[in-house]
Amino acid sequence: MKRSNELILVISLILLSAQITLGQTTFGQTTFAQTETIDTAMFRRIREAGLASSRIPMLAHYLTDVSGPRLPGSSGYRRAANWAVQTLKQWGISEAYTEAWGEFGKQWDLAEFSVALKLPYYQPLIAYPEPWSGNTKGRQQAAVILITSKQLMDTVYLKEHLSLLKGKILLVYNNSNKMAAGYATTPGRLTDSVLEHIEGQHIVSRNEMETIISRDSILVAIDKMLKKAGVVARISAPGNNVNGVVHVQSANGYKLSDPEMITKISMSFEDGQRLARLVRSGQRVELIINQKASVSTRDTKGYNVIGEIPGTDPVLGKEIVMLGGHLDSWASSTGATDNAAGCIVVMEVMRILDSLNVKPKRTIRMALWDGEEQGLYGSYNYVKKHFMNADGKPNEANQKVSGYFNLDYGTGKIRGVYAQENKEMIPVFKNWLEPFHDLDAKTVSANSTGSTDHESFDWAGIPGFQFIQDPVDEVWTHHTNIDDYDHLQIEDLKQAAVIVASFVYQAAMRDEMLPRKEFVKKVFVFDGL
Ligand SMILES: [Zn+2]
């Protein structure tokens, strides 16, 4: 299967080379070069290097299987970050290093974990620990008590029933809890009609964040109360944890100021439903739980990975084109589609450009960001430190950043790009995508899109963009126990690397920096939260 795909790509590559040659000689001026000249010869070389001698399978293996889960601050994150630096250096990218972006918090590394049904009969259950949640007192056997999510959030109710909860395992149960309807379990490809009107992903507002955080702080206080009352663990088994796929994340517990949390577990929906039915029919239901993680405060800083190909032009060399994606992941698998995928593409772009020995006029700088899942920590603090003055206005270095290209919408191939309401970028992107129509990338959306690291650049007034990608994996694998290598679409990642490398190269070589929107000073959505 893979071999035949590769063959098709090689054939289309040959066909495209012919088209480009034709375009250059016959239509070069009218079709491709209305706004700027595209270096089609270099685009072709990038294609060859990206499709014929890809290193993507190797990059994917090391960033997922070998590194393990990349929770910020964890050993897995550090393994991945250090490996990325070493690999860039081996390729000859000498300007490669990790850079602290600020204080993250605790280093949490899971050492042991198991959950099994003990009574009425023994059976292992599908369940995972929420990151940064507290350890059990060794291997504990305890009875299960049902509690609705409404009762859980009702402090008056809880206080009345606290004495009954001592030594018990709470299973948070919702009466209306049922499988999420129409839950996507198959790969998705964007159709032309969807692409035509594609909307960006939701951009969380400061107000929404404040609401989420205030609700979460109530839950933190409740968990504290439960822990003090001697509750063994709190288990949730929501309706989207179906078919063996379990979503596992946590909003808190990593900050130095956070107290040690109660043991929190995310369980498969079906296992949770079975436990609930058994309890309701009066069966004696007991689980055996063991959760042990090491928690360290030896190094509380967070780190981004930076790599650079210096610009060669005496003037333009001081200007920068950036690309990046977040390296951190959740911890129940190896974060392959969210977001090793983006990091694999970013590293492959650097490898391709370096292997072609390009001499970019502008400096090309890549970043693998830390702490994206907690609130774009790595990218925001990097941008704030390097490109902003203390008064919240762009500094001199900011004016030298031409643009930033982000990858974080999964493993699906690139279908186009969001112009982030930067009208002047629309014709530029259309022009750049012209040679990639045969690879299914042709859509330029005027819309803004959110929920990832280009927002940090957009906040600073730097043109920051995220690509439109096929939602092959978006709902299905992200933040789950199945976000592993096998869900990566290797051929899609090769396509993405070719397009991003070409975009970055073109941005580094064109006469002008990329056009900007007007800068509006505002508080960053996650600042200080
Ligand atoms: Zn992500």
Side-chain angles (χ1 to χ4, degrees), residues 108-242:
W108 188 85
D109 282 306
L110 191 62
E112 290 174 19
F113 181 79
S114 60
V115 174
L117 183 63
K118 179 66 176 170
L119 288 175
Y121 46 86
Y122 183 86
Q123 194 165 52
L125 300 170
I126 305 176
Y128 292 83
E130 288 190 15
W132 305 296
S133 76
N135 293 340
T136 53
K137 291 179 183 133
R139 190 172 169 275
Q140 284 185 276
Q141 181 168 340
V144 174
I145 284 195
L146 299 186
I147 187 167
T148 67
S149 44
K150 202 173 160 208
Q151 287 166 341
L152 180 73
M153 298 302 283
D154 182 345
T155 45
V156 177
Y157 173 89
L158 270 187
K159 275 178 190 155
E160 279 170 13
H161 295 81
L162 263 188
S163 58
L164 301 173
L165 306 181
K166 187 175 163 48
K168 301 290 194 298
I169 293 165
L170 291 195
L171 175 61
V172 182
Y173 181 76
N174 198 327
N175 288 330
S176 62
N177 208 354
K178 51 178 181 272
M179 275 194 212
Y183 193 70
T185 56
T186 47
R189 296 285 178 194
L190 296 168
T191 60
D192 284 348
S193 58
V194 170
L195 279 165
E196 207 178 314
H197 305 288
I198 194 153
E199 286 180 15
Q201 288 197 15
H202 182 62
I203 300 175
V204 179
S205 71
R206 184 87 184 169
N207 275 350
E208 284 171 308
M209 272 319 294
E210 279 163 2
T211 310
I212 292 167
I213 282 171
S214 79
R215 190 182 181 279
D216 196 61
S217 67
I218 298 170
L219 193 56
V220 169
I222 286 166
D223 279 343
K224 219 168 151 181
M225 199 195 303
L226 296 177
K227 189 174 167 62
K228 209 173 151 200
V231 170
V232 173
R234 170 164 74 73
I235 299 180
S236 55
N240 59 347
N241 280 1
V242 289

Side-chain angles (χ1 to χ4, degrees), residues 326 328 337-339 372-373 407-410 451-453 478-479:
H326 72 88
D328 64 296
T337 65
D338 186 17
N339 180 39
E372 187 269 355
E373 300 288 4
L407 283 138
D408 184 25
Y409 286 174
S451 70
T452 184
D453 293 297
H478 288 206
H479 306 188

